[in-house]
Amino acid sequence: MSSAKQAFNSGFEFVTNMSAELSSGNLEIPAFPDAAVRIKNALADPEVTADHVARVVGSDPIFTARILKVANSAMVNGAGVRITDIRMAVTRMGFKMAYNTAVAIAVDQLLHSHSVEELRPYLEDLWQHSMTVGALSYVIARKLTKINPDEAMLAGLLHDIGKYYILTRSAEYPVLFSEPAMLDDIMKKWHTGIGRSILDAWDFSEDIAIAADEHETLDRMHFGPSTHADVVLVANLLAHNDDTDHLPDLDWDKIPTLKRLELTSDLAYEIIEESSNEVQSIIQALGG
């Protein structure tokens, strides 16, 4: 049997199994790292103190080191006064940014916990793209909407979590790596619905789950104020263009999300140019 035929058969089996799991609600969803869950639960308490958050963060050395790094980054610490105390770090960056950092660490750990060599380039590209979309979502939310930029960043960081699931499961079908176009097609068709299921299981907000589900639906209709899904949709479009001199070839006047945000190609150029340093500082801070 040819390798292409083997890949086709494996792809069909993979999609069939995944479809059955998704329909039955039996996806093999990975557990979210304990440290991130503890931080999330702590920050869910409206009366939580910086001391308590610092104690929770400080219980994990990896999280402690990364929180301190972010607190000393250009994104948070423009004055350049070095922070060495975890409580001061949490206070300086704010609870939402502390949580975003914890989520970034958790996803990074999940993405890099697999030793399959063929997965590594896919996962590294995926994580780089997720950080870029998170950073752009932060900027777009702040400039064009009333959405909390930190929440928009979180939605951006998690928008492609369904691709993580597909990639890690595809390790069970190694022949697929001989046909990357087929693997890419499977991810494109399935990752949004799977991402929604994962974020629901991880108990993230409805806004963030919808952003994962609808960030590639250019004709999505929504009435009312802009949503996290709107922001992530735009950020995802812009992030896929490495050369900022060439924005997506879109009919900007006919895409509901772009009309709702009053985003023209000229304004998109302006945002990218004005925010390039900020976007890079966010990526560097989150990237570890």
Side-chain angles (χ1 to χ4, degrees), residues 98 105 206 219 223-224 240 268:
I105 298 166
E206 180 76 358
D219 60 351
F223 300 98
H240 276 298

Side-chain angles (χ1 to χ4, degrees), residues 252-263:
W252 293 74
D253 294 328
K254 295 184 178 179
I255 295 177
T257 289
L258 301 182
K259 292 179 67 175
R260 187 160 39 252
L261 292 173
E262 299 181 352
L263 184 66

Side-chain angles (χ1 to χ4, degrees), residues 7 22 57 77 97 100 116 174 185 193 204 211 231 234 249 258 282 285:
L22 189 60
V57 172
N77 191 1
M97 182 57 73
N100 284 359
V116 179
D185 187 57
F204 280 92
V231 172
V234 173
D249 184 15
L258 301 182
I282 292 172

Side-chain angles (χ1 to χ4, degrees), residues 136-151:
L136 285 168
S137 295
Y138 180 92
V139 169
I140 292 166
R142 180 166 54 77
K143 288 181 175 290
L144 300 180
T145 78
K146 295 182 179 180
I147 295 170
N148 184 296
D150 290 317
E151 293 179 4

Side-chain angles (χ1 to χ4, degrees), residues 78 91 117 123 137 151 243-244 248:
T91 301
E117 186 65 29
L123 294 174
S137 295
E151 293 179 4
D243 184 350
T244 55

Side-chain angles (χ1 to χ4, degrees), residues 1-287:
M1 185 183 298
S2 68
S3 60
K5 181 66 172 177
Q6 287 180 319
F8 176 82
N9 290 342
S10 290
F12 181 78
E13 180 183 349
F14 183 24
V15 168
T16 300
N17 292 340
M18 199 161 49
S19 175
E21 291 173 8
L22 189 60
S23 298
S24 64
N26 291 323
L27 283 176
E28 297 176 11
I29 295 173
F32 208 56
D34 288 343
V37 171
R38 290 197 301 272
I39 294 171
K40 180 182 179 182
N41 291 341
L43 295 177
D45 180 358
E47 298 182 0
V48 71
T49 64
D51 285 330
H52 180 64
V53 175
R55 284 196 298 273
V56 174
V57 172
S59 66
D60 187 288
I62 295 176
F63 280 65
T64 298
R66 186 74 70 85
I67 290 285
L68 287 172
K69 179 174 181 178
V70 173
N72 284 293
S73 69
M75 175 181 66
V76 175
N77 191 1
V81 179
R82 183 156 186 79
I83 298 171
T84 59
D85 175 72
I86 192 67
R87 182 189 182 283
M88 186 181 298
V90 170
T91 301
R92 175 67 64 87
M93 69 173 59
F95 289 170
K96 286 187 179 294
M97 182 57 73
Y99 178 55
N100 284 359
T101 303
V103 170
I105 298 166
V107 174
D108 194 17
Q109 289 178 339
L110 287 171
L111 291 175
H112 292 87
S113 63
H114 299 271
S115 59
V116 179
E117 186 65 29
E118 291 86 351
L119 280 177
R120 194 158 296 138
Y122 288 93
L123 294 174
E124 289 176 354
D125 287 347
L126 175 60
W127 182 224
Q128 187 64 39
H129 174 70
S130 295
M131 289 190 293
T132 301
V133 172
L136 285 168
S137 295
Y138 180 92
V139 169
I140 292 166
R142 180 166 54 77
K143 288 181 175 290
L144 300 180
T145 78
K146 295 182 179 180
I147 295 170
N148 184 296
D150 290 317
E151 293 179 4
M153 180 192 294
L154 182 60
L157 285 171
L158 294 170
H159 79 290
D160 268 350
I161 198 68
K163 289 185 177 179
Y164 154 77
Y165 174 88
I166 293 172
L167 282 172
T168 54
R169 286 293 303 276
S170 68
E172 302 168 17
Y173 304 85
V175 71
L176 287 175
F177 294 109
S178 67
E179 297 288 339
M182 184 178 296
L183 184 56
D184 287 342
D185 187 57
I186 291 172
M187 285 195 290
K188 182 175 179 59
K189 290 179 179 177
W190 288 90
H191 81 277
T192 54
I194 288 174
R196 167 91 195 231
S197 296
I198 291 172
L199 294 177
D200 283 340
W202 283 349
D203 200 27
F204 280 92
S205 72
E206 180 76 358
D207 286 332
I208 290 174
I210 290 174
D213 197 15
E214 300 184 3
H215 69 272
E216 292 185 349
T217 308
L218 297 185
D219 60 351
R220 67 182 297 271
M221 297 300 297
H222 167 75
F223 300 98
S226 299
T227 66
H228 297 66
D230 290 325
V231 172
V232 174
L233 185 152
V234 173
N236 187 56
L237 286 173
L238 299 183
H240 276 298
N241 288 266
D242 296 329
D243 184 350
T244 55
D245 290 333
H246 296 86
L247 288 174
D249 184 15
L250 303 170
D251 193 340
W252 293 74
D253 294 328
K254 295 184 178 179
I255 295 177
T257 289
L258 301 182
K259 292 179 67 175
R260 187 160 39 252
L261 292 173
E262 299 181 352
L263 184 66
T264 63
S265 58
D266 288 342
L267 181 54
Y269 277 120
E270 182 180 319
I271 290 173
I272 289 173
E273 183 175 348
E274 290 180 352
S275 307
S276 60
N277 290 338
E278 183 178 15
V279 167
Q280 287 305 312
S281 69
I282 292 172
I283 293 171
Q284 290 171 5
L286 294 176

